[in-house]
Amino acid sequence: MPEISIIPEDICAAVVTPEAAFMAVEGVFAAMVRGEARNFPVVREALGHADALYGFKSGFDKAGMALGLKSGGFWPGNMASGLTNHQSTIFLFDPDTGQLQALVGGNYLTAIRTAAASSVSIAHLARKDAKVLGMVGAGHQSAFQLRAAVKQRAFDKVVAWNPHPEMLPKLAAVAAELGLPFEAVDREALGAQADVIITITSAFEPLMMKGWFKPGTHIACMGTDTKGKQEVDAHLLAAATVFTDEVAQSISIGEAQHAVAAGLIHEGDIVPLGAVINGTHPGRSSVDEITLFDGTGVGLQDLAVAQVAMRAAQAQGMGARVTL
Ligand code: NAD
């Protein structure tokens, strides 16, 4: 009789640290490039109800022996009733038998694995002397992004812009907690000051134009995870070296979809970040190069952090265990 672990949101938050998420995501990006981990095609559909997008992300990591799926999506009206807009649950299965191993709350893990992805990109691609962090976006994910990013470089200031300025004070409070000065600026000023920029919005049109970025900037585009979404000028991708979690997603649902469709870049120009982690691609080649990470969000990231949660919860005797 298989024993199943049930690990709710509060236990995930208690047992999965940003550092553990970083290691898990960095490891699975590398395994993808070695051909040891594979994402399966994503299902993502508009429900025609509650304005929601719903779907599945799944995959198998043979290196980490993680098999499963994340089921969930985006309900834009949730915030009004005190819930986060993203809602998801992760299912882990035993790769040897197909039996269910764990049901894991996916909301905290989605935020922490997405923040880990941009953080991994900053660790491997940003200039070592980066000082100013620019945040475009101030929603639920932005605080996780900020907390993870500041661990990678000795930032001494955060500049931020959001299409809804009333959301910025919450992000300012996180910067204050991290001991960093915070300034709300306009978009051109953000591009002119920031050495590293994270975009994490629900935009469907470019918010940041190519001419606004400094040479040497690293940009992590994290909001575009669906066909039609866009956060930066497609011409920026032609001027930058573009890295991604997974090329197939980058060109179909990621930030690169627009530059590829316009013929500004080609699929072969986009480098999986795992190649930099594995040392088969050099990553940044000069101090003036603009590097852009197109973080589309892959199912293997979810499985990697869910496995961390399952193992840590089991080791600490946390969560419920049921026998099917
Ligand atoms: P949220 O609803 O809490 O915040 C939305 C953010 O987008 C806010 O900054 C808001 O001001 C801005 N925004 C809302 N409507 C906009 C519009 N029409 N144009 C421009 N900006 C707009 O959402 P969140 O949980 O912080 O997620 C932000 C984005 O990140 C979403 O698009 C989500 O789908 C995406 N996301 C990506 C990944 C990934 O792995 N790449 C993972 C999770 C979330």
Side-chain angles (χ1 to χ4, degrees):
M1 299 281 250
E3 197 179 56
I4 297 146
S5 295
I6 300 177
I7 304 159
E9 291 291 339
D10 58 339
I11 294 181
C12 290
V15 299
V16 183
T17 62
E19 291 76 14
F22 182 102
M23 300 286 287
V25 168
E26 187 183 51
V28 84
F29 283 171
M32 283 163 60
V33 170
R34 291 196 307 270
E36 292 172 8
R38 183 161 73 95
N39 292 293
F40 303 146
V42 174
V43 173
R44 194 159 167 91
E45 297 287 336
L47 281 188
H49 174 76
D51 220 6
L53 289 171
Y54 170 77
F56 304 100
K57 286 187 169 182
S58 61
F60 176 42
D61 174 6
K62 201 171 176 179
M65 287 300 273
L67 173 69
L69 62 88
K70 178 168 83 169
S71 166
F74 191 69
W75 277 258
N78 275 5
M79 193 104 73
S81 45
L83 298 170
T84 60
N85 292 343
H86 278 93
Q87 291 293 329
S88 59
T89 307
I90 302 166
F91 298 70
L92 291 176
F93 301 98
D94 182 340
D96 293 325
T97 64
Q99 289 182 306
L100 183 62
Q101 282 182 324
L103 288 176
V104 189
N107 296 351
Y108 169 79
L109 292 182
T110 296
I112 203 133
R113 67 79 149 139
T114 305
S118 65
S119 182
V120 169
S121 84
I122 294 167
H124 288 277
L125 297 171
R127 283 171 52 148
K128 299 276 183 257
D129 60 353
K131 291 283 178 231
V132 178
L133 174 63
M135 296 293 304
V136 176
H140 178 70
Q141 304 281 331
S142 65
F144 291 89
Q145 292 285 334
L146 175 56
R147 287 180 196 283
V150 298
K151 294 187 193 303
Q152 301 310 324
R153 293 293 182 268
F155 292 111
D156 59 19
K157 184 179 178 185
V158 178
V159 290
W161 178 84
N162 193 51
H164 306 99
E166 69 280 6
M167 296 170 81
L168 284 168
K170 235 173 144 177
L171 193 59
V174 176
E177 189 195 312
L178 295 166
L180 284 168
F182 180 95
E183 193 185 344
V185 294
D186 66 31
R187 288 178 274 181
E188 289 93 327
L190 189 145
Q193 288 190 54
D195 304 307
V196 171
I197 297 174
I198 298 173
T199 62
I200 183 75
T201 70
S202 308
F204 279 83
E205 58 192 33
L207 301 174
M208 296 290 294
M209 304 313 290
K210 181 193 152 200
W212 300 347
F213 294 86
K214 291 193 301 186
T217 304
H218 174 65
I219 304 124
C221 294
M222 304 306 297
T224 299
D225 57 357
T226 303
K227 202 167 173 52
K229 280 189 182 174
Q230 184 173 12
E231 296 190 292
V232 301
D233 185 356
H235 289 92
L236 174 67
L237 280 85
T241 307
V242 181
F243 300 83
T244 190
D245 40 25
E246 189 189 75
V247 174
Q249 283 204 173
S250 173
I251 63 171
S252 56
I253 60 169
E255 195 63 39
Q257 62 181 290
H258 307 284
V260 170
L264 297 169
I265 63 167
H266 302 286
E267 180 175 346
D269 299 326
I270 304 173
V271 182
L273 184 57
V276 182
I277 298 166
N278 285 339
T280 53
H281 186 283
R284 167 176 293 280
S285 61
S286 78
V287 288
D288 284 342
E289 183 178 15
I290 293 181
T291 53
L292 185 148
F293 174 65
D294 183 3
T296 65
V298 294
L300 286 169
Q301 281 170 260
D302 298 302
L303 303 188
V305 289
Q307 196 176 53
V308 171
M310 178 181 76
R311 289 184 177 156
Q314 287 175 350
Q316 294 172 47
M318 297 169 87
R321 307 284 281 264
V322 294
T323 304
L324 271 193

PDB file of all heavy atoms in Angstrom, residues 44 74 79 85-86 110 113-114 137-142 162-164 167 200-204 207 222-223 225 229 295-297, ligand 1:
ATOM      1  N   ARG A  44      -2.303  24.588 -21.362  1.00  0.00           N
ATOM      2  CA  ARG A  44      -2.718  25.840 -20.716  1.00  0.00           C
ATOM      3  C   ARG A  44      -3.918  26.370 -21.485  1.00  0.00           C
ATOM      4  O   ARG A  44      -3.825  26.642 -22.687  1.00  0.00           O
ATOM      5  CB  ARG A  44      -1.563  26.836 -20.727  1.00  0.00           C
ATOM      6  CG  ARG A  44      -1.773  28.028 -19.804  1.00  0.00           C
ATOM      7  CD  ARG A  44      -0.427  28.666 -19.491  1.00  0.00           C
ATOM      8  NE  ARG A  44      -0.531  29.965 -18.884  1.00  0.00           N
ATOM      9  CZ  ARG A  44      -0.585  30.179 -17.576  1.00  0.00           C
ATOM     10  NH1 ARG A  44      -0.586  29.169 -16.744  1.00  0.00           N
ATOM     11  NH2 ARG A  44      -0.645  31.403 -17.105  1.00  0.00           N
ATOM     12  N   PHE A  74      -4.052  30.687 -13.100  1.00  0.00           N
ATOM     13  CA  PHE A  74      -4.090  32.108 -12.723  1.00  0.00           C
ATOM     14  C   PHE A  74      -5.539  32.578 -12.689  1.00  0.00           C
ATOM     15  O   PHE A  74      -6.233  32.520 -13.700  1.00  0.00           O
ATOM     16  CB  PHE A  74      -3.288  32.889 -13.774  1.00  0.00           C
ATOM     17  CG  PHE A  74      -3.003  34.310 -13.408  1.00  0.00           C
ATOM     18  CD1 PHE A  74      -2.132  34.625 -12.376  1.00  0.00           C
ATOM     19  CD2 PHE A  74      -3.598  35.354 -14.116  1.00  0.00           C
ATOM     20  CE1 PHE A  74      -1.848  35.948 -12.054  1.00  0.00           C
ATOM     21  CE2 PHE A  74      -3.326  36.675 -13.796  1.00  0.00           C
ATOM     22  CZ  PHE A  74      -2.448  36.967 -12.764  1.00  0.00           C
ATOM     23  N   MET A  79      -7.234  38.105  -5.775  1.00  0.00           N
ATOM     24  CA  MET A  79      -6.639  39.079  -4.848  1.00  0.00           C
ATOM     25  C   MET A  79      -7.732  39.831  -4.082  1.00  0.00           C
ATOM     26  O   MET A  79      -7.581  40.107  -2.892  1.00  0.00           O
ATOM     27  CB  MET A  79      -5.771  40.069  -5.634  1.00  0.00           C
ATOM     28  CG  MET A  79      -4.888  40.914  -4.778  1.00  0.00           C
ATOM     29  SD  MET A  79      -3.164  40.449  -4.762  1.00  0.00           S
ATOM     30  CE  MET A  79      -2.469  40.892  -6.270  1.00  0.00           C
ATOM     31  N   ASN A  85      -3.403  35.221  -6.767  1.00  0.00           N
ATOM     32  CA  ASN A  85      -3.994  34.962  -8.082  1.00  0.00           C
ATOM     33  C   ASN A  85      -3.549  33.615  -8.654  1.00  0.00           C
ATOM     34  O   ASN A  85      -4.302  32.968  -9.371  1.00  0.00           O
ATOM     35  CB  ASN A  85      -3.632  36.089  -9.050  1.00  0.00           C
ATOM     36  CG  ASN A  85      -4.295  37.400  -8.671  1.00  0.00           C
ATOM     37  OD1 ASN A  85      -5.246  37.417  -7.892  1.00  0.00           O
ATOM     38  ND2 ASN A  85      -3.811  38.505  -9.211  1.00  0.00           N
ATOM     39  N   HIS A  86      -2.303  33.221  -8.349  1.00  0.00           N
ATOM     40  CA  HIS A  86      -1.838  31.909  -8.800  1.00  0.00           C
ATOM     41  C   HIS A  86      -2.291  30.854  -7.795  1.00  0.00           C
ATOM     42  O   HIS A  86      -2.105  31.030  -6.584  1.00  0.00           O
ATOM     43  CB  HIS A  86      -0.309  31.873  -8.867  1.00  0.00           C
ATOM     44  CG  HIS A  86       0.228  32.462 -10.126  1.00  0.00           C
ATOM     45  ND1 HIS A  86       0.598  33.773 -10.228  1.00  0.00           N
ATOM     46  CD2 HIS A  86       0.440  31.906 -11.338  1.00  0.00           C
ATOM     47  CE1 HIS A  86       1.016  34.016 -11.449  1.00  0.00           C
ATOM     48  NE2 HIS A  86       0.936  32.898 -12.148  1.00  0.00           N
ATOM     49  N   THR A 110       5.787  27.818  -6.268  1.00  0.00           N
ATOM     50  CA  THR A 110       5.853  28.509  -7.563  1.00  0.00           C
ATOM     51  C   THR A 110       6.616  29.818  -7.409  1.00  0.00           C
ATOM     52  O   THR A 110       7.485  30.158  -8.228  1.00  0.00           O
ATOM     53  CB  THR A 110       4.438  28.798  -8.101  1.00  0.00           C
ATOM     54  OG1 THR A 110       3.787  27.548  -8.340  1.00  0.00           O
ATOM     55  CG2 THR A 110       4.487  29.593  -9.395  1.00  0.00           C
ATOM     56  N   ARG A 113      10.396  29.048  -6.637  1.00  0.00           N
ATOM     57  CA  ARG A 113      11.170  28.476  -7.750  1.00  0.00           C
ATOM     58  C   ARG A 113      11.324  29.487  -8.886  1.00  0.00           C
ATOM     59  O   ARG A 113      12.302  29.464  -9.642  1.00  0.00           O
ATOM     60  CB  ARG A 113      10.574  27.159  -8.227  1.00  0.00           C
ATOM     61  CG  ARG A 113       9.192  27.154  -8.902  1.00  0.00           C
ATOM     62  CD  ARG A 113       9.273  27.580 -10.344  1.00  0.00           C
ATOM     63  NE  ARG A 113       8.280  26.986 -11.210  1.00  0.00           N
ATOM     64  CZ  ARG A 113       7.638  27.641 -12.167  1.00  0.00           C
ATOM     65  NH1 ARG A 113       7.812  28.949 -12.348  1.00  0.00           N
ATOM     66  NH2 ARG A 113       6.799  27.007 -12.949  1.00  0.00           N
ATOM     67  N   THR A 114      10.346  30.406  -9.036  1.00  0.00           N
ATOM     68  CA  THR A 114      10.462  31.447 -10.069  1.00  0.00           C
ATOM     69  C   THR A 114      11.534  32.453  -9.654  1.00  0.00           C
ATOM     70  O   THR A 114      12.350  32.884 -10.472  1.00  0.00           O
ATOM     71  CB  THR A 114       9.093  32.134 -10.269  1.00  0.00           C
ATOM     72  OG1 THR A 114       8.121  31.122 -10.554  1.00  0.00           O
ATOM     73  CG2 THR A 114       9.137  33.124 -11.418  1.00  0.00           C
ATOM     74  N   GLY A 137       7.555  45.772 -11.771  1.00  0.00           N
ATOM     75  CA  GLY A 137       6.528  44.884 -11.240  1.00  0.00           C
ATOM     76  C   GLY A 137       6.524  44.949  -9.730  1.00  0.00           C
ATOM     77  O   GLY A 137       7.588  45.095  -9.101  1.00  0.00           O
ATOM     78  N   ALA A 138       5.336  44.866  -9.151  1.00  0.00           N
ATOM     79  CA  ALA A 138       5.227  44.970  -7.684  1.00  0.00           C
ATOM     80  C   ALA A 138       4.084  44.100  -7.166  1.00  0.00           C
ATOM     81  O   ALA A 138       3.487  44.408  -6.141  1.00  0.00           O
ATOM     82  CB  ALA A 138       5.028  46.434  -7.283  1.00  0.00           C
ATOM     83  N   GLY A 139       3.814  43.008  -7.874  1.00  0.00           N
ATOM     84  CA  GLY A 139       2.747  42.103  -7.448  1.00  0.00           C
ATOM     85  C   GLY A 139       3.267  41.036  -6.494  1.00  0.00           C
ATOM     86  O   GLY A 139       4.353  41.172  -5.891  1.00  0.00           O
ATOM     87  N   HIS A 140       2.524  39.949  -6.367  1.00  0.00           N
ATOM     88  CA  HIS A 140       2.833  38.880  -5.420  1.00  0.00           C
ATOM     89  C   HIS A 140       4.258  38.348  -5.587  1.00  0.00           C
ATOM     90  O   HIS A 140       4.991  38.148  -4.622  1.00  0.00           O
ATOM     91  CB  HIS A 140       1.808  37.760  -5.593  1.00  0.00           C
ATOM     92  CG  HIS A 140       2.050  36.583  -4.713  1.00  0.00           C
ATOM     93  ND1 HIS A 140       1.874  36.629  -3.344  1.00  0.00           N
ATOM     94  CD2 HIS A 140       2.482  35.326  -4.990  1.00  0.00           C
ATOM     95  CE1 HIS A 140       2.173  35.458  -2.831  1.00  0.00           C
ATOM     96  NE2 HIS A 140       2.540  34.645  -3.806  1.00  0.00           N
ATOM     97  N   GLN A 141       4.652  38.097  -6.840  1.00  0.00           N
ATOM     98  CA  GLN A 141       5.965  37.475  -7.081  1.00  0.00           C
ATOM     99  C   GLN A 141       7.136  38.419  -6.800  1.00  0.00           C
ATOM    100  O   GLN A 141       8.257  37.957  -6.573  1.00  0.00           O
ATOM    101  CB  GLN A 141       6.080  37.047  -8.559  1.00  0.00           C
ATOM    102  CG  GLN A 141       4.994  36.132  -9.058  1.00  0.00           C
ATOM    103  CD  GLN A 141       5.205  34.699  -8.630  1.00  0.00           C
ATOM    104  OE1 GLN A 141       6.341  34.256  -8.440  1.00  0.00           O
ATOM    105  NE2 GLN A 141       4.129  33.981  -8.438  1.00  0.00           N
ATOM    106  N   SER A 142       6.886  39.710  -6.886  1.00  0.00           N
ATOM    107  CA  SER A 142       8.011  40.657  -6.901  1.00  0.00           C
ATOM    108  C   SER A 142       8.838  40.591  -5.608  1.00  0.00           C
ATOM    109  O   SER A 142      10.064  40.707  -5.643  1.00  0.00           O
ATOM    110  CB  SER A 142       7.515  42.073  -7.155  1.00  0.00           C
ATOM    111  OG  SER A 142       6.701  42.509  -6.081  1.00  0.00           O
ATOM    112  N   ASN A 162       6.223  50.426 -11.427  1.00  0.00           N
ATOM    113  CA  ASN A 162       5.111  49.496 -11.630  1.00  0.00           C
ATOM    114  C   ASN A 162       3.966  50.238 -12.315  1.00  0.00           C
ATOM    115  O   ASN A 162       3.728  51.402 -11.995  1.00  0.00           O
ATOM    116  CB  ASN A 162       4.632  48.928 -10.280  1.00  0.00           C
ATOM    117  CG  ASN A 162       3.719  47.736 -10.468  1.00  0.00           C
ATOM    118  OD1 ASN A 162       4.059  46.799 -11.181  1.00  0.00           O
ATOM    119  ND2 ASN A 162       2.555  47.764  -9.858  1.00  0.00           N
ATOM    120  N   PRO A 163       3.289  49.561 -13.240  1.00  0.00           N
ATOM    121  CA  PRO A 163       2.164  50.244 -13.906  1.00  0.00           C
ATOM    122  C   PRO A 163       1.080  50.681 -12.911  1.00  0.00           C
ATOM    123  O   PRO A 163       0.325  51.609 -13.212  1.00  0.00           O
ATOM    124  CB  PRO A 163       1.625  49.208 -14.896  1.00  0.00           C
ATOM    125  CG  PRO A 163       2.317  47.940 -14.606  1.00  0.00           C
ATOM    126  CD  PRO A 163       3.536  48.230 -13.819  1.00  0.00           C
ATOM    127  N   HIS A 164       1.010  50.022 -11.787  1.00  0.00           N
ATOM    128  CA  HIS A 164       0.065  50.429 -10.733  1.00  0.00           C
ATOM    129  C   HIS A 164       0.896  50.902  -9.542  1.00  0.00           C
ATOM    130  O   HIS A 164       1.278  50.102  -8.674  1.00  0.00           O
ATOM    131  CB  HIS A 164      -0.841  49.255 -10.346  1.00  0.00           C
ATOM    132  CG  HIS A 164      -1.551  48.642 -11.521  1.00  0.00           C
ATOM    133  ND1 HIS A 164      -1.119  47.491 -12.145  1.00  0.00           N
ATOM    134  CD2 HIS A 164      -2.623  49.071 -12.218  1.00  0.00           C
ATOM    135  CE1 HIS A 164      -1.915  47.226 -13.165  1.00  0.00           C
ATOM    136  NE2 HIS A 164      -2.837  48.164 -13.238  1.00  0.00           N
ATOM    137  N   MET A 167       0.962  49.897  -5.760  1.00  0.00           N
ATOM    138  CA  MET A 167       1.469  48.610  -5.261  1.00  0.00           C
ATOM    139  C   MET A 167       2.931  48.702  -4.794  1.00  0.00           C
ATOM    140  O   MET A 167       3.444  47.770  -4.168  1.00  0.00           O
ATOM    141  CB  MET A 167       1.361  47.541  -6.372  1.00  0.00           C
ATOM    142  CG  MET A 167      -0.072  47.239  -6.783  1.00  0.00           C
ATOM    143  SD  MET A 167      -0.154  46.202  -8.266  1.00  0.00           S
ATOM    144  CE  MET A 167       0.107  44.574  -7.567  1.00  0.00           C
ATOM    145  N   ILE A 200       8.600  41.459 -13.783  1.00  0.00           N
ATOM    146  CA  ILE A 200       7.690  40.425 -13.249  1.00  0.00           C
ATOM    147  C   ILE A 200       6.290  41.032 -13.199  1.00  0.00           C
ATOM    148  O   ILE A 200       5.751  41.354 -12.130  1.00  0.00           O
ATOM    149  CB  ILE A 200       8.212  39.853 -11.898  1.00  0.00           C
ATOM    150  CG1 ILE A 200       7.314  38.729 -11.370  1.00  0.00           C
ATOM    151  CG2 ILE A 200       8.497  40.934 -10.862  1.00  0.00           C
ATOM    152  CD1 ILE A 200       7.454  37.418 -12.082  1.00  0.00           C
ATOM    153  N   THR A 201       5.723  41.195 -14.400  1.00  0.00           N
ATOM    154  CA  THR A 201       4.386  41.787 -14.536  1.00  0.00           C
ATOM    155  C   THR A 201       3.512  40.878 -15.401  1.00  0.00           C
ATOM    156  O   THR A 201       3.991  39.904 -15.975  1.00  0.00           O
ATOM    157  CB  THR A 201       4.445  43.162 -15.235  1.00  0.00           C
ATOM    158  OG1 THR A 201       4.791  42.945 -16.615  1.00  0.00           O
ATOM    159  CG2 THR A 201       5.447  44.098 -14.590  1.00  0.00           C
ATOM    160  N   SER A 202       2.274  41.266 -15.539  1.00  0.00           N
ATOM    161  CA  SER A 202       1.333  40.555 -16.419  1.00  0.00           C
ATOM    162  C   SER A 202       1.127  41.329 -17.719  1.00  0.00           C
ATOM    163  O   SER A 202       0.038  41.302 -18.284  1.00  0.00           O
ATOM    164  CB  SER A 202      -0.011  40.394 -15.714  1.00  0.00           C
ATOM    165  OG  SER A 202       0.159  39.828 -14.447  1.00  0.00           O
ATOM    166  N   ALA A 203       2.163  42.005 -18.196  1.00  0.00           N
ATOM    167  CA  ALA A 203       2.008  42.900 -19.348  1.00  0.00           C
ATOM    168  C   ALA A 203       1.797  42.143 -20.659  1.00  0.00           C
ATOM    169  O   ALA A 203       2.338  41.050 -20.856  1.00  0.00           O
ATOM    170  CB  ALA A 203       3.238  43.791 -19.462  1.00  0.00           C
ATOM    171  N   PHE A 204       1.062  42.760 -21.546  1.00  0.00           N
ATOM    172  CA  PHE A 204       0.855  42.237 -22.899  1.00  0.00           C
ATOM    173  C   PHE A 204       1.432  43.189 -23.940  1.00  0.00           C
ATOM    174  O   PHE A 204       1.132  43.084 -25.114  1.00  0.00           O
ATOM    175  CB  PHE A 204      -0.636  41.990 -23.159  1.00  0.00           C
ATOM    176  CG  PHE A 204      -1.119  40.685 -22.594  1.00  0.00           C
ATOM    177  CD1 PHE A 204      -1.481  40.586 -21.259  1.00  0.00           C
ATOM    178  CD2 PHE A 204      -1.195  39.539 -23.383  1.00  0.00           C
ATOM    179  CE1 PHE A 204      -1.921  39.379 -20.722  1.00  0.00           C
ATOM    180  CE2 PHE A 204      -1.624  38.330 -22.860  1.00  0.00           C
ATOM    181  CZ  PHE A 204      -1.993  38.247 -21.530  1.00  0.00           C
ATOM    182  N   LEU A 207       7.043  47.129 -21.824  1.00  0.00           N
ATOM    183  CA  LEU A 207       7.081  48.188 -20.816  1.00  0.00           C
ATOM    184  C   LEU A 207       8.426  48.914 -20.843  1.00  0.00           C
ATOM    185  O   LEU A 207       8.522  50.052 -20.410  1.00  0.00           O
ATOM    186  CB  LEU A 207       6.875  47.586 -19.417  1.00  0.00           C
ATOM    187  CG  LEU A 207       5.564  46.829 -19.187  1.00  0.00           C
ATOM    188  CD1 LEU A 207       5.579  46.167 -17.814  1.00  0.00           C
ATOM    189  CD2 LEU A 207       4.366  47.765 -19.320  1.00  0.00           C
ATOM    190  N   MET A 222      10.686  37.708 -16.303  1.00  0.00           N
ATOM    191  CA  MET A 222      10.061  36.588 -15.603  1.00  0.00           C
ATOM    192  C   MET A 222       8.538  36.557 -15.745  1.00  0.00           C
ATOM    193  O   MET A 222       7.900  35.572 -15.382  1.00  0.00           O
ATOM    194  CB  MET A 222      10.417  36.651 -14.116  1.00  0.00           C
ATOM    195  CG  MET A 222      11.908  36.686 -13.832  1.00  0.00           C
ATOM    196  SD  MET A 222      12.848  35.335 -14.590  1.00  0.00           S
ATOM    197  CE  MET A 222      12.146  33.915 -13.785  1.00  0.00           C
ATOM    198  N   GLY A 223       7.947  37.625 -16.253  1.00  0.00           N
ATOM    199  CA  GLY A 223       6.480  37.687 -16.279  1.00  0.00           C
ATOM    200  C   GLY A 223       5.848  36.986 -17.473  1.00  0.00           C
ATOM    201  O   GLY A 223       4.712  36.532 -17.396  1.00  0.00           O
ATOM    202  N   ASP A 225       4.862  34.271 -19.602  1.00  0.00           N
ATOM    203  CA  ASP A 225       4.779  32.809 -19.543  1.00  0.00           C
ATOM    204  C   ASP A 225       3.588  32.289 -20.336  1.00  0.00           C
ATOM    205  O   ASP A 225       3.135  31.174 -20.140  1.00  0.00           O
ATOM    206  CB  ASP A 225       4.681  32.351 -18.075  1.00  0.00           C
ATOM    207  CG  ASP A 225       3.501  32.980 -17.349  1.00  0.00           C
ATOM    208  OD1 ASP A 225       2.783  33.811 -17.958  1.00  0.00           O
ATOM    209  OD2 ASP A 225       3.275  32.647 -16.174  1.00  0.00           O
ATOM    210  N   LYS A 229       1.830  37.531 -24.100  1.00  0.00           N
ATOM    211  CA  LYS A 229       2.401  38.423 -23.083  1.00  0.00           C
ATOM    212  C   LYS A 229       3.741  38.983 -23.574  1.00  0.00           C
ATOM    213  O   LYS A 229       4.444  38.324 -24.362  1.00  0.00           O
ATOM    214  CB  LYS A 229       2.637  37.667 -21.780  1.00  0.00           C
ATOM    215  CG  LYS A 229       1.397  37.487 -20.928  1.00  0.00           C
ATOM    216  CD  LYS A 229       1.814  36.921 -19.581  1.00  0.00           C
ATOM    217  CE  LYS A 229       0.659  36.649 -18.671  1.00  0.00           C
ATOM    218  NZ  LYS A 229       1.097  35.969 -17.451  1.00  0.00           N
ATOM    219  N   GLY A 295      12.838  33.782 -18.531  1.00  0.00           N
ATOM    220  CA  GLY A 295      12.411  32.759 -17.570  1.00  0.00           C
ATOM    221  C   GLY A 295      10.940  32.425 -17.779  1.00  0.00           C
ATOM    222  O   GLY A 295      10.052  33.134 -17.316  1.00  0.00           O
ATOM    223  N   THR A 296      10.698  31.335 -18.476  1.00  0.00           N
ATOM    224  CA  THR A 296       9.321  31.008 -18.855  1.00  0.00           C
ATOM    225  C   THR A 296       8.613  30.165 -17.799  1.00  0.00           C
ATOM    226  O   THR A 296       7.396  30.080 -17.785  1.00  0.00           O
ATOM    227  CB  THR A 296       9.304  30.237 -20.187  1.00  0.00           C
ATOM    228  OG1 THR A 296       9.963  28.975 -19.987  1.00  0.00           O
ATOM    229  CG2 THR A 296      10.017  31.010 -21.279  1.00  0.00           C
ATOM    230  N   GLY A 297       9.413  29.493 -16.958  1.00  0.00           N
ATOM    231  CA  GLY A 297       8.840  28.631 -15.919  1.00  0.00           C
ATOM    232  C   GLY A 297       8.541  27.239 -16.439  1.00  0.00           C
ATOM    233  O   GLY A 297       7.590  27.047 -17.186  1.00  0.00           O
TER     234      GLY A 297
HETATM  235  P1  NAD B   1       0.117  39.794  -9.551  1.00  0.00           P
HETATM  236  O1  NAD B   1      -1.246  39.753 -10.118  1.00  0.00           O
HETATM  237  O2  NAD B   1       0.301  39.706  -8.082  1.00  0.00           O
HETATM  238  O3  NAD B   1       0.842  41.148 -10.032  1.00  0.00           O
HETATM  239  C1  NAD B   1       0.735  41.553 -11.379  1.00  0.00           C
HETATM  240  C2  NAD B   1       1.819  42.526 -11.736  1.00  0.00           C
HETATM  241  O4  NAD B   1       1.650  42.893 -13.114  1.00  0.00           O
HETATM  242  C3  NAD B   1       1.738  43.835 -10.968  1.00  0.00           C
HETATM  243  O5  NAD B   1       3.029  44.410 -10.963  1.00  0.00           O
HETATM  244  C4  NAD B   1       0.778  44.667 -11.808  1.00  0.00           C
HETATM  245  O6  NAD B   1       0.925  46.045 -11.599  1.00  0.00           O
HETATM  246  C5  NAD B   1       1.216  44.260 -13.202  1.00  0.00           C
HETATM  247  N1  NAD B   1       0.130  44.302 -14.192  1.00  0.00           N
HETATM  248  C6  NAD B   1      -1.135  43.854 -14.052  1.00  0.00           C
HETATM  249  N2  NAD B   1      -1.807  44.026 -15.218  1.00  0.00           N
HETATM  250  C7  NAD B   1      -0.938  44.577 -16.093  1.00  0.00           C
HETATM  251  C8  NAD B   1      -1.024  44.985 -17.442  1.00  0.00           C
HETATM  252  N3  NAD B   1      -2.156  44.850 -18.129  1.00  0.00           N
HETATM  253  N4  NAD B   1       0.067  45.505 -18.033  1.00  0.00           N
HETATM  254  C9  NAD B   1       1.227  45.636 -17.345  1.00  0.00           C
HETATM  255  N5  NAD B   1       1.380  45.246 -16.066  1.00  0.00           N
HETATM  256  C10 NAD B   1       0.301  44.738 -15.444  1.00  0.00           C
HETATM  257  O7  NAD B   1       0.926  38.660 -10.308  1.00  0.00           O
HETATM  258  P2  NAD B   1       2.235  37.908  -9.835  1.00  0.00           P
HETATM  259  O8  NAD B   1       1.867  36.689  -9.118  1.00  0.00           O
HETATM  260  O9  NAD B   1       3.178  38.870  -9.214  1.00  0.00           O
HETATM  261  O10 NAD B   1       2.816  37.440 -11.264  1.00  0.00           O
HETATM  262  C11 NAD B   1       3.359  38.392 -12.160  1.00  0.00           C
HETATM  263  C12 NAD B   1       3.551  37.747 -13.524  1.00  0.00           C
HETATM  264  O11 NAD B   1       4.486  36.691 -13.420  1.00  0.00           O
HETATM  265  C13 NAD B   1       2.289  37.118 -14.108  1.00  0.00           C
HETATM  266  O12 NAD B   1       2.202  37.483 -15.462  1.00  0.00           O
HETATM  267  C14 NAD B   1       2.519  35.634 -13.977  1.00  0.00           C
HETATM  268  O13 NAD B   1       1.836  34.887 -14.965  1.00  0.00           O
HETATM  269  C15 NAD B   1       4.015  35.561 -14.147  1.00  0.00           C
HETATM  270  N6  NAD B   1       4.644  34.371 -13.574  1.00  0.00           N
HETATM  271  C16 NAD B   1       5.664  33.813 -14.254  1.00  0.00           C
HETATM  272  C17 NAD B   1       6.296  32.690 -13.762  1.00  0.00           C
HETATM  273  C18 NAD B   1       7.451  32.085 -14.489  1.00  0.00           C
HETATM  274  O14 NAD B   1       7.910  31.011 -14.127  1.00  0.00           O
HETATM  275  N7  NAD B   1       7.987  32.747 -15.490  1.00  0.00           N
HETATM  276  C19 NAD B   1       5.878  32.124 -12.554  1.00  0.00           C
HETATM  277  C20 NAD B   1       4.851  32.751 -11.840  1.00  0.00           C
HETATM  278  C21 NAD B   1       4.244  33.881 -12.362  1.00  0.00           C
END
